[in-house]
Amino acid sequence: MPSVLQLDGLLVQRSRGRRGRREHRRRVDRFVEGFLRNPGLPVDWHAARPLLRPVLRSAITPADVGTPLSRPALPFLAEFVVVDHPETMTYVSVENGWGVDAEEVFAAARANLSAATLLGKATEPVVVQFVDDGDAYWTSHLLLDGWLAGLAGQVGGEPVAFAPDRGTLLVTADYSDHLPGLFAQAEAVYLASPRAITPMAYVSDADGRTVPYRAAPGSPYEICVRRAQGLFAGREYARQAEQLPLAAELLVADDGRTRALWPQDGPALLPVADEVQVGEAVRPWREVVPHLTEVQLTPPRWRGESWPKPTEQP
């Protein structure tokens, strides 16, 4: 299959001074050279299996990268599989030619993670930062059932994780004094990184699966959670809109409340939001959604043909 080399993430990392520009150029050159030396996908399953790794990425696949193998993982995120080469990695395509089904590919990729554990015990809540050198796939460990929950003794309580970009995984204990600061740190990294993943927080459910962190109404973390969710939704819907005619814009307030804009009376694909601005009027989502039809997209959108009247019944 044709290969597309994505350089936008590297090219936006500006460096100051002659020395900084030279180092930046060397990083780009190493990346390109590694890609050119990349042998691509192994020709058979026996050779491919030990090289597979799972990765968490945006569920929105750029239009020019073919059809990579993926499955839903978390809101706005999907699990992909890559072949781990020394210098770079190659996404596994749906048509990989190995003669095995997708479930076996995903299972093999997860089994190849080290599932590393931390030594020692925390006597009080602490922050653990996993810094990835490109080979550890720390953020991918959130895909392993039970792995995050297993860090409870090392962080001093029920683990809460942040994966703001591909090279950073932050974990602390729920209800600790560190948690508000990590929401802010994760947001800053997410907004600044060309390799961003998510600003949201995650915990383990009763079955050990990683799920979004939920804050009870009135919790001191309620606004932090809503802001992270809104920020993530706004970015992902904006990326989706670049490829989607009729896509309506999503506005995100400082407290995380979201508003879908429907400025003209005509067909529109609305993002899921707290409220909808219909022309000049702002109406709750629950009031507008009965007049819409759900469209099977990732992330989901709802199609409206024309503005519903304020008193109109579905």
Side-chain angles (χ1 to χ4, degrees):
M1 295 180 63
S3 296
V4 177
L5 184 58
Q6 300 288 343
L7 290 178
D8 51 345
L10 284 171
L11 295 179
V12 300
Q13 296 177 343
R14 300 180 182 274
S15 300
R16 294 182 179 180
R18 182 178 299 176
R19 182 175 179 180
R21 288 192 295 270
R22 285 201 301 266
E23 177 58 30
H24 179 244
R25 178 57 186 263
R26 282 196 291 268
R27 287 199 302 269
V28 174
D29 288 346
R30 285 197 301 268
F31 182 84
V32 174
E33 289 170 3
F35 181 86
L36 295 177
R37 294 195 301 268
N38 183 352
L41 295 180
V43 295
D44 59 52
W45 177 240
H46 177 75
R49 184 169 183 167
L51 302 178
L52 301 179
R53 302 291 186 275
V55 292
L56 267 176
R57 298 290 186 266
S58 169
I60 302 173
T61 304
D64 57 354
V65 299
T67 309
L69 181 67
S70 69
R71 63 183 178 185
L74 291 160
F76 302 111
L77 294 173
E79 178 181 0
F80 295 81
V81 176
V82 299
V83 175
D84 184 42
H85 299 293
E87 299 292 338
T88 186
M89 62 186 185
T90 304
Y91 282 85
V92 174
S93 62
V94 172
E95 300 296 333
N96 50 65
W98 294 330
V100 297
D101 62 28
E103 288 301 319
E104 188 170 355
V105 175
F106 283 115
R110 289 192 179 192
N112 287 336
L113 286 183
S114 62
T117 57
L118 300 179
L119 300 177
K121 292 284 186 179
T123 57
E124 61 182 12
V126 299
V127 176
V128 176
Q129 180 169 349
F130 297 82
V131 180
D132 206 318
D133 61 359
D135 296 321
Y137 291 88
W138 287 123
T139 57
S140 299
H141 282 67
L142 296 178
L143 294 165
L144 300 180
D145 294 347
W147 184 81
L148 180 58
L151 300 179
Q154 284 70 47
V155 299
E158 181 182 355
V160 181
F162 298 83
D165 74 358
R166 300 181 191 182
T168 307
L169 178 64
L170 302 163
V171 187
T172 192
D174 197 3
Y175 300 107
S176 74
D177 293 339
H178 304 293
L179 196 53
L182 284 192
F183 271 104
Q185 182 179 347
E187 177 179 318
V189 174
Y190 172 78
L191 291 175
S193 175
R195 301 162 69 84
I197 299 180
T198 169
M200 291 174 56
Y202 300 91
V203 294
S204 293
D205 66 10
D207 296 319
R209 297 187 181 91
T210 300
V211 296
Y213 179 83
R214 306 293 183 191
S219 163
Y221 314 124
E222 183 180 10
I223 291 182
C224 294
V225 170
R226 192 167 66 223
R227 179 180 171 86
Q229 291 173 339
L231 174 64
F232 198 18
R235 281 238 170 161
E236 291 303 291
Y237 274 120
R239 292 183 63 224
Q240 184 191 56
E242 295 174 357
Q243 307 175 21
L244 194 64
L246 301 179
E249 184 181 357
L250 183 71
L251 297 184
V252 183
D254 288 342
D255 66 354
R257 289 192 59 81
T258 54
R259 177 183 297 179
L261 301 184
W262 196 352
Q264 297 181 341
D265 189 359
L269 292 172
L270 301 179
V272 179
D274 295 313
E275 56 194 23
V276 182
Q277 184 168 330
V278 182
E280 297 298 323
V282 177
R283 300 166 63 176
W285 176 261
R286 64 178 181 275
E287 182 182 306
V288 177
V289 72
H291 308 282
L292 309 176
T293 303
E294 188 173 8
V295 180
Q296 297 302 313
L297 293 169
T298 302
R301 285 183 182 261
W302 293 69
R303 183 182 177 96
E305 300 302 332
S306 61
W307 288 347
K309 297 185 175 72
T311 58
E312 181 181 341
Q313 297 298 318

